[in-house]
Amino acid sequence: MNKAEKTNPSQPRKARDVQHWDMETDIAIVGFGGAGGCAAIEAADAGSSVTIFELASASGGSTAMSSAEIYMGGSGGTRVQKACGFDDSTEDMVTYMTMAAGPQADEAKIRNYCESSTAHFQWLVDIGVPFKDSFHEERAIMCLTDDGLLYTGSEKAYPFAQQAKPCPRGHNLYIEGDNGGPLFMKIVTENVEKREAISVEYETRALCLIEDDDGSVVGIVIRKNQQELNVRARQGVILCAGGFVMNEEMIAKYAPLLSRGNSPIGNPGDTGTGILMGMSVGGAAINMHEGFISLPYYPPASMTCGILVNDKGQRFINEDVYHGRMGAYLLAQQSERFYYVLTIDQYSDYEKVSFMGAQVAGTGETVEELEAELELRKGSLQHTIELYNEDCEAGEDTLQHKAAQWLEKLEPPLVALDVTPGRGAFIPYFTLGGLDTLPSGEVVDPQRRSIPGLYAAGRTACGVVRRAEGYSSGMSVGDATFSGRMAGRAAAAAQRNSQ
Ligand SMILES: Cc1cc2nc3c(=O)[nH]c(=O)nc-3n(C[C@H](O)[C@H](O)[C@H](O)COP(=O)(O)OP(=O)(O)OC[C@H]3O[C@@H](n4cnc5c(N)ncnc54)[C@H](O)[C@@H]3O)c2cc1C
């Protein structure tokens, strides 16, 4: 078989070339992570038969690897928010998420997500996902206690806090340690297993879509036990196959700047096949250059009191933002080196609790000494710290607008960490581009016309979360699970095609 003939995601099979349907189902779902599992439950509960095709030997995907923090709120608050004394408004959540997505924001999708968010929380609780009614005060990337709620974004930081009343929306599962993802997928999998209308084919790879002559998607080709099989999907196919962070060729082609990070994070199936399948039948792929990328500079939370400077000795961001925003700003700078400057107290237990892994680049009994050790232009760091300390004394960061609670004068001795990309600091990334979809999960073409029979959710689609500058932990699992449900519901409402 030559390369052109080999079944591949970019080349759909024509229904007229299918001699025989090996399997039939109402809805075929590709991928059994958070999006696929939730899509299956919702579709089965709406009366459809569902088959999930998963290339791994178990469910999970990146969702099971994650902390499974889930971003939810609005409508007066979820049960946990209310119990912790937070009254969340839908409009504040919409404003925050719209600012977070920036010029790429999909307003309809954000509004649907925010207006349905407390109901989504309840849906998760109803399938058995546990959340404790307690608030975690400390700044954390992942919550290592079993507390149910924490700030997981830049809600309290400039410029977001000035536009939307801050409220914590990161919901953390009721389990100690960083174990939310495995527990979450265990619960979703148990729910899938107890529904007779859902069957799961593991160790089965979806190879390409099958389309009608009129462009409707009517099935998929799968490979199972070394055989290619044609699967008819009477109500449609939902692509929930994750993103493309593990596909080096696609990263180089669509999102080259992401590879300035050094650690692609995700499961080995994140090779973009879902996105390629959608594109092969005319689906628009959007926001493909964007991703989550991070400089995980806290914990310890005291790092927030330090300052990040470039090779001119200048600050360029308020250091109380979410670590993804920090990473995105850092990579956008024209600078060859970056240092995180701290007092000894602020450095505190950095070596014990940090995930960042940045090494000490210099120390100084005076600012001048540190500046010389870092080989910065004489006077540059001294000037930055002089202005910063003046602002700390006055209680207002006039240059970068860091919140007053984090303003502490930088009194020597000082220490500087080298956070230059490529010099040891951990800079993880994953993709946020994918198929353009309506809030219902229907995949659309470049003119935003729906492609009949095709739906996408999770990282295969381009969801509510669009860029690192505005990322908050929980937006991806929140989006994957919610968009999966929307797609499951829409596919289950479609007419059965039984030709
Ligand atoms: C370490 C880590 C921590 C994270 N923490 C958080 C967090 O706390 N909160 C948050 O919101 N986000 C977090 N994220 C991001 C988040 O986990 C993912 O973006 C999200 O879970 C993706 O869900 P999904 O359903 O789209 O994809 P996945 O859960 O990855 O599921 C996709 C599935 O599709 C399968 N698949 C792929 N191609 C095929 C094919 N051709 N045929 C059959 N099957 C296929 C894969 O094997 C996989 O099982 C984290 C990510 C990582 C890696």
Side-chain angles (χ1 to χ4, degrees), residues 29-37 53-56 58-71 141-142 178 185 204-207 240-243 265-274 277 430-432 457-461 471-481:
I29 296 180
V30 179
F32 192 177
F53 301 96
E54 168 55 54
L55 65 82
S59 63
S62 302
T63 312
M65 299 167 69
S66 80
S67 309
E69 281 167 348
I70 306 178
Y71 202 79
I141 286 191
M142 54 192 90
D178 186 24
M185 280 312 298
T204 302
R205 183 182 289 273
L207 297 178
C240 302
I265 56 167
N267 77 93
D270 268 340
T271 53
T273 51
M277 282 189 238
F430 64 83
T431 59
L432 292 174
R459 294 288 56 80
T460 301
Y471 195 91
S472 303
S473 287
M475 283 189 178
S476 198
V477 173
D479 177 71
T481 53

